[in-house]
Amino acid sequence: MSKQEHDKNNYQIKNSANTVKLRNWTIAWVVTMAIAAFAPKFIWDFNTSLTIIALVVNLGIGFRMLIANRAYLRGLDEMQQKILLEAMALALGIGLVVGLSYELLEDIKLITFQPEIAHLVILMGITYLIAVISGHRKYQ
Amino acid sequence: MNNRIKVLRAEQDWSQQALADKIGVSRQAVNAVERGKHDPSLQLAFDIANQFNQRIEDIFFPEKLTNSEGCE
């Protein structure tokens, strides 16, 4: 078996390995985000040094997660990449358009509460998820 | 774009997964290309053609050509 053929046979193995790496870095990022968000109040009473360390660690792991995500995307075949690209474009577009309008709602007094960035993240996440599922159905 | 992948696979007795493994893509990608739902890149078209020892133009047909000349 040639090296090229061997590499191609490893598509699923490589893809699974990239998925596991991305999952692990994402979990690590979520955990460090939770630590950076809640530990200053509940664990170390807003100790500045510890808070900065937690934030730097969170940022570092966040960048590592981005690298893992890039490796995951590059490891996919062209059709999967196309599906994810379309989903990301839609999520970004919806996030930009709806996010700005949502932020405007408070400025023009149509809502009384402060718009939260978390709402936008949830909207983009749901949009991305629906777009990925719909993309897979489209190419079935 | 239409193609003869299904016929060629059947001749070789290869499943979609078997072809996907040989060309290094997912089974879903092979299925989408085979059904004409995804137009492959030139590289993927070459990879597929190489697996069947055929030329690209013997496997893939533009839809207009397919309709006007009654290709499969």
Side-chain angles (χ1 to χ4, degrees):
Chain A
M1 184 186 291
S2 71
K3 184 180 181 303
Q4 187 188 11
E5 199 173 341
H6 178 73
D7 288 346
K8 285 176 175 176
N9 284 340
N10 279 339
Y11 171 77
Q12 284 181 320
I13 297 167
K14 190 179 74 177
N15 197 18
S16 300
N18 284 342
T19 306
V20 170
K21 275 185 196 168
L22 178 59
R23 184 201 64 193
N24 291 344
W25 282 111
T26 305
I27 290 171
W29 176 70
V30 170
V31 169
T32 56
M33 175 66 84
I35 290 171
F38 299 113
K41 184 177 179 184
F42 297 109
I43 300 178
W44 55 67
D45 193 26
F46 296 101
N47 179 305
T48 308
S49 303
L50 290 176
T51 302
I52 290 172
I53 290 170
L55 205 59
V56 168
V57 168
N58 175 240
L59 274 174
I61 290 182
F63 281 117
R64 198 62 192 77
M65 180 184 71
L66 291 181
I67 291 169
N69 193 33
R70 186 180 64 172
Y72 170 76
L73 288 172
R74 286 181 172 177
L76 293 174
D77 65 48
E78 60 183 49
M79 192 199 73
Q80 308 277 357
Q81 285 179 349
K82 189 175 175 185
I83 290 172
L84 294 194
L85 178 68
E86 286 175 2
M88 284 187 281
L90 188 64
L92 181 64
I94 294 273
L96 184 70
V97 172
V98 176
L100 288 176
S101 296
Y102 181 49
E103 201 276 335
L104 194 64
L105 288 179
E106 201 235 351
D107 295 344
I108 57 177
K109 311 293 179 201
L110 281 178
I111 56 172
T112 52
F113 56 91
Q114 180 76 27
E116 296 281 344
I117 191 75
H119 297 161
L120 190 58
V121 173
I122 291 169
L123 174 70
M124 290 176 75
I126 290 172
T127 305
Y128 179 72
L129 194 64
I130 292 172
V132 169
I133 292 169
S134 137
H136 277 105
R137 289 175 64 95
K138 179 178 157 189
Y139 289 109
Q140 259 179 2
Chain B
M1 186 154 49
N2 290 340
N3 62 77
R4 296 173 52 233
I5 295 175
K6 191 172 183 178
V7 174
L8 293 168
R9 264 196 320 105
E11 284 173 5
Q12 301 286 335
D13 199 21
W14 289 345
S15 64
Q16 288 183 340
Q17 185 64 60
L19 177 58
D21 288 343
K22 289 174 189 295
I23 57 178
V25 298
S26 62
R27 187 199 62 75
Q28 289 83 357
V30 169
N31 182 53
V33 171
E34 189 174 294
R35 298 180 67 178
K37 292 192 170 184
H38 170 64
D39 290 337
S41 65
L42 198 53
Q43 182 60 57
L44 182 54
F46 269 118
D47 287 345
I48 292 170
N50 284 341
Q51 288 303 321
F52 294 117
N53 291 319
Q54 304 239 357
R55 295 179 305 170
I56 287 180
E57 58 266 38
D58 293 332
I59 298 180
F60 296 97
F61 310 99
E63 282 184 29
K64 278 183 184 173
L65 188 67
T66 308
N67 294 336
S68 60
E69 296 187 5
C71 294
E72 237 180 293

